[in-house]
Amino acid sequence: MHPWCCFSVKTDFNSDPHYVFKAVLQPSNRAVAASTSSGLIKLYDAQAGTQLTHVGDLRGHADTITDVAFAAADSPGMVHTSSKDGTVRGWDMRAGQEVEQ
């Protein structure tokens, strides 16, 4: 997969009826982060090729998440989010917790 390539994902949030606003691919370790209308960042492993495996959720914003992006290549375990709550947060995906605000 290439970062400029488009792809579609069909996922089942196990009766979680929220929308995905944005999904981004981190090509070097094939992780996917998806911002949802529930205020969660859903994390997926794309190692299997065509199927995504849900590996965790990041929770901390008090309002709609407006953007999600992976950090630079030298920080492959980091993802950053911004929200209508006025915050920008940095997350360590491996630990599953916020490390910057």
Side-chain angles (χ1 to χ4, degrees):
M1 288 184 171
H2 299 286
W4 59 87
C5 179
C6 298
F7 63 94
S8 63
V9 175
K10 181 179 179 186
T11 186
D12 177 6
F13 286 161
N14 298 322
S15 73
D16 182 358
H18 297 99
Y19 295 99
V20 173
F21 289 132
K22 183 175 182 180
V24 293
L25 172 67
Q26 204 284 344
S28 67
N29 68 7
R30 299 182 67 119
V32 173
S35 63
T36 68
S37 61
S38 65
L40 293 176
I41 300 295
K42 300 258 186 195
L43 301 175
Y44 296 91
D45 179 359
Q47 296 288 342
T50 59
Q51 184 161 355
L52 297 177
T53 303
H54 181 247
V55 294
D57 296 330
L58 302 174
R59 180 186 316 267
H61 286 293
D63 204 341
T64 303
I65 297 166
T66 56
D67 204 5
V68 58
F70 284 99
D74 60 344
S75 300
M78 290 290 297
V79 65
H80 291 93
T81 57
S82 61
S83 170
K84 287 184 178 179
D85 65 13
T87 64
V88 175
R89 297 172 190 253
W91 306 87
D92 181 336
M93 294 185 316
R94 294 165 293 203
Q97 59 188 340
E98 180 182 335
V99 293
E100 298 173 332
Q101 181 175 342

